[in-house]
Amino acid sequence: MLKNVKIAHALLAFVLVFMGLQVLLGGLGYWALNHINDNVQNLYRSGIRQSNAVNVASLSLVAARTDLSRHSTRVAQKQPEENGPLLSARKHIASADKNIAEMEQSLVDADRQAITPYLQAYRRYSDNLKSVDRVLTRGDMQAYLKQGTQKVQDDYMAARDTFIAAAAQALRDQAQQLAQAVALFKLPQTALGRA
């Protein structure tokens, strides 16, 4: 009978160890899935949403500059009463400002440092276009010619390109981390067998 008790204890210990391993593996799996979820959220937030916001704002500002240039032609031809392009430019600038403001609200501290140079260049470009709007509203072509919009736009585009390149690299890094985390759940090819 004593021999049966020892076997029972050994079996019980084996079952408890097996259950402990199951709990440990379940906990590790849960942790890994949460880690993957965090990586996916970071990928979406920092890479895709920010890049899309920057691209939409850039398109809006370039469209606004085009509209302001069209209106400057009308001012030069002494036809400033046709202000459709000026109104369109204001809408584009307001849309870009709103888009960037929404993106800024969604930033986390880790993202702020990387995007600050872009935001500074954005504000300079947006403010420059608003200044051009005011000058053209007054009909002052001399002041319009002194605005230096091309230099401000070039600086903005360089800052945008730098940000987009950094965001793309961050996306690649996060995708690599995600791939490495998912690789934990893959079975080796030899275990799967070949058909």
Side-chain angles (χ1 to χ4, degrees), residues 119-139:
L119 292 174
Q120 291 169 345
Y122 171 83
R123 286 188 186 97
R124 282 191 300 274
Y125 189 32
S126 178
D127 290 345
N128 181 271
L129 291 177
K130 290 172 188 174
S131 175
V132 168
D133 177 5
R134 289 189 296 275
V135 165
L136 289 176
T137 299
R138 290 192 316 258

Side-chain angles (χ1 to χ4, degrees), residues 56-72:
V56 168
S58 296
L59 290 173
S60 294
L61 291 181
V62 169
R65 174 138 191 245
T66 302
D67 288 338
L68 289 170
S69 294
R70 287 176 52 217
H71 189 73
S72 72

